Amino acid sequence: MRILMLSSDHLVLEQDSFARKRIEKYGELVEKLIVVIIANRKLKITNRKEQKANKILVIAVFGGFLRFIKAFFVSRKILRENKIDLITCQDIEHCLIAYLLG
């Protein structure tokens, strides 16, 4: 199963965080997991896109209100380039993005 996950949990971007370890466990259970992190503040990270073992791809989208529009276009590009079986959302704002993608 290939999953697109829309989330606001910026702790996924930190290497040793509990959230990161949870995402890595999820990645072990699926064929492909693409996580789009929608954060409202700039974080000190080295890169906005990180891939681990071709199974997990984490993409960070930052900004004010425009982060939702950016996330929509990033997610739409992901859907065009990958065959995604499931879109999962964390918050109501993310559900709107998922609805617009469907």
Side-chain angles (χ1 to χ4, degrees), residues 11-26:
L11 294 176
V12 172
L13 301 170
E14 296 178 14
Q15 292 290 20
D16 296 327
S17 70
F18 178 75
R20 178 57 169 249
K21 290 178 173 105
R22 186 183 72 239
I23 293 298
E24 290 174 0
K25 288 289 186 188
Y26 292 163

Side-chain angles (χ1 to χ4, degrees), residues 2 26 39 55 76:
R2 292 169 295 279
Y26 292 163
K55 288 189 81 173
R76 189 172 74 171

Side-chain angles (χ1 to χ4, degrees), residues 66-78:
L66 291 178
R67 71 185 181 275
F68 297 109
I69 296 169
K70 292 177 191 176
F72 170 78
F73 286 109
V74 167
S75 300
R76 189 172 74 171
K77 183 178 179 188
I78 290 168

Side-chain angles (χ1 to χ4, degrees), residues 15-54:
Q15 292 290 20
D16 296 327
S17 70
F18 178 75
R20 178 57 169 249
K21 290 178 173 105
R22 186 183 72 239
I23 293 298
E24 290 174 0
K25 288 289 186 188
Y26 292 163
E28 293 173 6
L29 301 172
V30 297
E31 181 181 338
K32 180 95 174 169
L33 176 61
I34 302 172
V35 183
V36 177
I37 305 295
I38 306 168
N40 62 355
R41 59 185 174 131
K42 289 254 185 195
L43 302 171
K44 294 181 181 180
I45 59 170
T46 55
N47 53 1
R48 291 178 179 238
K49 190 172 183 181
E50 179 180 346
Q51 188 157 5
K52 183 173 182 172
N54 289 331

